[in-house]
Amino acid sequence: IVMAYLDSGYLVDLETQAVWLRKVYDTYPAHYKMAIYHNPFYPACESKYRQENQVIIPQKHIVPIFDKYNVIAAFEHHVHLFKVSKPMYNNQVVNDTKSGKGTVYFGDGAWGVRHRSRCKQKKVQWYLETSSKDNHVWIVQINKHRILYSALSFNGTIIYEYERKPVSYTHL
């Protein structure tokens, strides 16, 4: 597994991080690839999070890298809501889930924090599979047969599970 940690453009601009990310993924071509960062590229709600510097620029510089290198999961934060996107490729929903294409965006950083009051969730975003105000933490289990993402509540109850069949890599 290759887990890339990005800083959402706080300390280093996203163009520079994109160069680094390509090098990392080129170094480990036959590994499951995931990413984690602060500001969501596909936020759970409409609001100021759709501003250019937080969504449009990452979608321009980072998302194409996720597509090229088949990043299977991205863990997003900042909005303090629970969400799971539909698989996304080229800024579109992937309808053929058997293809293995597409990044699923998990988020949005809601463990031990209050929810953002300005995030009203009046309208479900077109790219979301599900979202809620549940506090949660993600547990990821990977083996050669499946990748299981489980969202756990404070009391340890599973509030959502997402399963994905892994791409076949010869080293597994």
Side-chain angles (χ1 to χ4, degrees):
I1 299 169
V2 175
M3 177 67 80
Y5 291 84
L6 303 171
D7 84 347
S8 297
Y10 286 107
L11 300 175
V12 178
D13 63 79
L14 288 170
E15 294 88 344
T16 302
Q17 290 182 68
V19 171
W20 171 82
L21 189 59
R22 280 189 208 92
K23 286 179 185 176
V24 169
Y25 289 156
D26 279 336
T27 304
Y28 302 98
H31 289 74
Y32 295 120
K33 294 168 193 72
M34 299 182 188
I36 187 169
Y37 44 88
H38 189 73
N39 289 331
F41 302 168
Y42 294 97
C45 68
E46 262 314 317
S47 73
K48 72 178 192 105
Y49 306 112
R50 301 286 307 165
Q51 292 175 0
E52 182 172 334
N53 65 329
Q54 293 181 345
V55 174
I56 306 302
I57 292 175
Q59 285 179 356
K60 177 181 177 188
H61 295 286
I62 303 296
V63 171
I65 296 170
F66 287 2
D67 292 345
K68 178 180 178 182
Y69 292 95
N70 197 28
V71 171
I72 59 174
F75 295 92
E76 305 186 316
H77 298 83
H78 191 66
V79 179
H80 302 176
L81 294 171
F82 165 80
K83 74 119 186 268
V84 177
S85 80
K86 297 171 183 171
M88 300 291 295
Y89 185 86
N90 196 25
N91 201 32
Q92 297 177 19
V93 172
V94 175
N95 292 315
D96 177 12
T97 56
K98 291 181 183 179
S99 72
K101 272 192 174 183
T103 304
V104 177
Y105 294 83
F106 297 93
D108 277 339
W111 183 254
V113 293
R114 284 183 272 152
H115 303 291
R116 304 261 186 201
S117 60
R118 60 186 171 261
C119 230
K120 303 295 183 204
Q121 287 184 290
K122 291 178 183 174
K123 175 181 146 191
V124 176
Q125 302 305 309
W126 59 271
Y127 46 78
L128 290 182
E129 181 68 33
T130 187
S131 67
S132 71
K133 292 185 176 185
D134 291 310
N135 287 96
H136 65 284
V137 64
W138 286 102
I139 307 295
V140 181
Q141 300 172 47
I142 301 174
N143 64 41
K144 63 182 177 181
H145 303 292
R146 72 177 185 167
I147 304 167
L148 181 64
Y149 305 85
S150 301
L152 301 180
S153 69
F154 276 130
N155 65 8
T157 304
I158 295 173
I159 58 174
Y160 190 84
E161 285 189 319
Y162 181 88
E163 184 174 327
R164 190 163 191 178
K165 299 295 179 198
V167 215
S168 74
Y169 290 126
T170 55
H171 69 283
L172 291 177

